[in-house]
Amino acid sequence: MRTKTSVAIFAFLILCGSAFADGQHGAVSDDDLKARVEALEKRQGDNLVVDERGHKYHPIHSIYGLKISGGVTLTGQMPSRGKTGNQRAGVALSADLALESGVGDSGRVVLVLDFQRGTLAQGMPTFFTAPNGNTTGPNADIESFNDNNAHLTQAYYEHEFSKPLAASIGQLDITGYFDANKFANNERTQFLANLFVNNPAVEFGGSPNFYGPGLRLSIAPAGFIDLTAGAFEGDGDWVNSFDAPFLMAEADVKAKPAGMEGNYRFYYWRLSGRGAANLPNTANPSDASLEKAANEGVGMSIDQKLNDNVGVWLRMGKQRHRVSRFDRHASAGLHLSGAIVGRSEDAAGIAYGITSMGRTYRGYLKSSNPQFNAGHEHYFELYYNIAIGSATGNTGFHITPDIQYVMNPGGDTAASKEVIYGIRLQTFF
C-alpha cells in the first residue's frame, strides 16, 4: 500500500508541477499542449523503459514525458510424480511497474518496482546451483522475495553523451546489459527455464536476482559493433560496496548474412568474492577460502534469423571449477513465428541445454557418498505463446503452454527424470 501511495504521489507531483509552470506563464491551448507532448516523446526517441531482464516495455502511458508501463505474470507448473511421488504444483504471481522520465535532452531516470508471491513447484529433485544461489530451475520469473511488499529493484540515471556513447549509474539489473539474446532472454514471453534466459555459467554479481549498485558504459565505435563494460557491487547489499566487485565486458557484433539480421556477443567476466552467505552454494561448502576466492569466465550468446519466420540461437559459457558446482554450459534452440500457421503475433520455441559438473564439486560429493555417479544435466523446453485478440509481442494478453523435460537433474544420474507441465498468463499494461 505504501508503494502504491508513493507512486500515486510521484505522478501527482509531476502533474501539479507542470500545471504550476503553465499557470506562471498563462493558459496553454490544446494545440500547445499537444505540441509539447509530441516534442517530449520525440526527444525520448526509442529509449524505452527496461525491465529487470533487460527487455523494453511498451510505454502505453505518457504524461508530460513520464512513461508508465509494466506487466503482470501468473505461472503455474506441475511436475511429474517421479520416484518419490511427493511432487506438488506451484503457482507464482509477479507484477512489475516501470516509471521513466526524461532529464534534459540526453538523460533519463528509471524506477522499476517488482512484486512477487508464490514459489516453485515442490518436491522436485535438486538442480545445479551457482555460487550466488541461482539455480538452473524451471521458472526464471521467481524472485528471491516472496512477500506482500513491492521491491524497488532498479533506480538509475542513464545519459547519452553522444550517439555512440551512453552510461548508466545507480541500482541496475546486470543482465539488462549483458548476455542478451533476441530469442532466449525473456521469461515473460519466451522460455521459462532459467538456463534459457541467461547463461547459468556466469556468476553474476549483485543480489540473488542480479540487482545491485553499479556503472555501465556502452560505445558503438562502428555501426556493426557495440562494446559494453560494467562494474557492480559483488553481492548487491550496499554494504562495504565494491570490496569484491563484479566486472564484465562484452562485444556485440551485428551481422547480416544473406540479408538476415544476427547478433554475435562475446564476453568476459570476473567476480572477486561472494561472502559467507553464499559459501554453501560453492563447489566445496567446507572450504572457507571460497568465500573470497575469485571466479571468472567467458561466454557467448548468438541469435540469427534464417528467414522472416525462423531464427536460431546459441549460448555457451565456462567458469572456474574450483569455485562453481558446474563449470560448463551450452544451450541452443529454434524460434518460430506464428505466421507459419497464419497467426503472425504468436511465437514458439524449442531449446536444449547441457550443463556439466566441475571436478571439484564432483570430488566433494564423492567424498561424502562413494556411490555417487555424476553425469551431465540435460534440459529440454518447448513453449507456444498465444497472442489473444489484438495483442502483439509486447502488448495485450498472452497464454503460453510450456513443457520441460530434465535428465540427471543436478548432475545426479540416480535422480528421477522430470517432466514439468506449465502455463503462463501474461498481460502488459
Side-chain angles (χ1 to χ4, degrees):
M1 181 63 69
R2 292 179 181 176
T3 302
K4 293 180 179 178
T5 303
S6 300
V7 173
I9 292 174
F10 181 56
F12 176 74
L13 289 176
I14 290 178
L15 289 173
C16 288
S18 301
F20 177 77
D22 290 340
Q24 297 296 308
H25 297 87
V28 180
S29 69
D30 290 343
D31 290 340
D32 288 339
L33 180 60
K34 181 179 179 181
R36 289 186 187 185
V37 172
E38 289 178 348
L40 285 168
E41 292 184 344
K42 181 178 181 181
R43 189 171 66 191
Q44 289 292 79
D46 293 329
N47 294 329
L48 307 185
V49 176
V50 176
D51 73 9
E52 86 275 6
R53 286 291 181 262
H55 299 283
K56 294 178 179 178
Y57 281 128
H58 182 66
I60 57 176
H61 308 290
S62 182
I63 306 174
Y64 293 95
L66 174 67
K67 295 180 180 180
I68 305 173
S69 55
V72 177
T73 310
L74 178 66
T75 55
Q77 292 181 310
M78 169 68 78
S80 60
R81 294 297 176 181
K83 294 181 179 179
T84 60
N86 65 347
Q87 281 92 336
R88 296 291 182 272
V91 177
L93 173 69
S94 68
D96 304 277
L97 178 67
L99 306 173
E100 175 190 324
S101 181
V103 178
D105 292 330
S106 305
R108 62 174 181 152
V109 171
V110 176
L111 303 178
V112 180
L113 302 169
D114 199 344
F115 165 87
Q116 190 250 308
R117 288 302 308 271
T119 60
L120 294 168
Q122 303 299 301
M124 290 188 294
T126 303
F127 295 94
F128 276 125
T129 304
N132 56 10
N134 291 275
T135 69
T136 56
N139 192 342
D141 194 53
I142 297 290
E143 305 281 8
S144 64
F145 43 82
N146 177 20
D147 52 43
N148 290 319
N149 301 317
H151 298 257
L152 181 63
T153 56
Q154 295 182 69
Y156 62 88
Y157 173 71
E158 187 167 277
H159 193 91
E160 188 175 297
F161 295 96
S162 59
K163 189 169 182 61
L165 178 64
S168 303
I169 187 169
Q171 170 89 353
L172 301 171
D173 167 24
I174 301 173
T175 62
Y177 301 101
F178 299 97
D179 189 42
N181 196 290
K182 184 175 182 179
F183 303 131
N185 204 202
N186 191 332
E187 70 277 12
R188 297 187 180 93
T189 60
Q190 298 169 339
F191 299 99
L192 270 172
N194 295 58
L195 76 167
F196 301 136
V197 175
N198 282 111
N199 195 334
V202 178
E203 188 181 353
F204 287 105
S207 70
N209 305 307
F210 311 135
Y211 308 121
L215 170 68
R216 181 273 316 191
L217 292 172
S218 295
I219 187 169
F224 66 91
I225 187 170
D226 294 335
L227 302 176
T228 301
F232 308 88
E233 185 182 24
D235 56 12
D237 63 0
W238 292 80
V239 178
N240 299 321
S241 297
F242 296 95
D243 57 337
F246 175 80
L247 308 174
M248 194 164 185
E250 177 180 295
D252 179 358
V253 179
K254 305 175 188 301
K256 286 189 174 182
M260 292 291 107
E261 294 182 353
N263 292 280
Y264 296 75
R265 305 171 187 85
F266 306 91
Y267 47 82
Y268 166 81
W269 59 272
R270 178 182 173 86
L271 179 65
S272 300
R274 62 204 41 78
N278 287 321
L279 182 60
N281 299 316
T282 59
N284 186 347
S286 62
D287 184 356
S289 68
L290 295 184
E291 177 184 340
K292 297 182 178 181
N295 193 10
E296 61 184 348
V298 293
M300 67 172 66
S301 177
I302 297 172
D303 57 73
Q304 177 64 59
K305 293 184 67 175
L306 300 183
N307 57 45
D308 291 338
N309 297 320
V310 181
V312 295
W313 61 271
L314 170 69
R315 182 179 274 126
M316 300 179 67
K318 179 176 174 57
Q319 60 183 342
R320 295 185 65 193
H321 70 84
R322 178 175 174 264
V323 179
S324 300
R325 295 187 174 187
F326 58 91
D327 62 346
R328 288 162 293 158
H329 169 78
S331 54
L334 280 174
H335 174 85
L336 305 171
S337 168
I340 296 174
V341 293
R343 292 185 54 84
S344 60
E345 300 303 330
D346 290 1
I350 184 169
Y352 164 71
I354 181 170
T355 308
S356 301
M357 184 179 294
R359 63 176 181 267
T360 300
Y361 185 50
R362 185 165 59 246
Y364 169 77
L365 294 177
K366 281 272 191 184
S367 67
S368 57
N369 178 15
Q371 304 302 315
F372 177 80
N373 187 26
H376 302 302
E377 181 184 85
H378 300 275
Y379 214 116
F380 302 84
E381 184 173 359
L382 172 67
Y383 76 86
Y384 187 88
N385 185 330
I386 306 167
I388 304 301
S390 59
T392 65
N394 61 350
T395 67
F397 182 62
H398 298 252
I399 300 176
T400 307
D402 180 88
I403 186 168
Q404 301 174 34
Y405 176 65
V406 191
M407 298 171 58
N408 304 330
D412 184 358
T413 58
S416 172
K417 298 179 179 64
E418 285 295 324
V419 179
I420 305 163
Y421 307 96
I423 185 121
R424 174 180 60 211
L425 308 181
Q426 172 69 41
T427 184
F428 297 96
F429 61 86

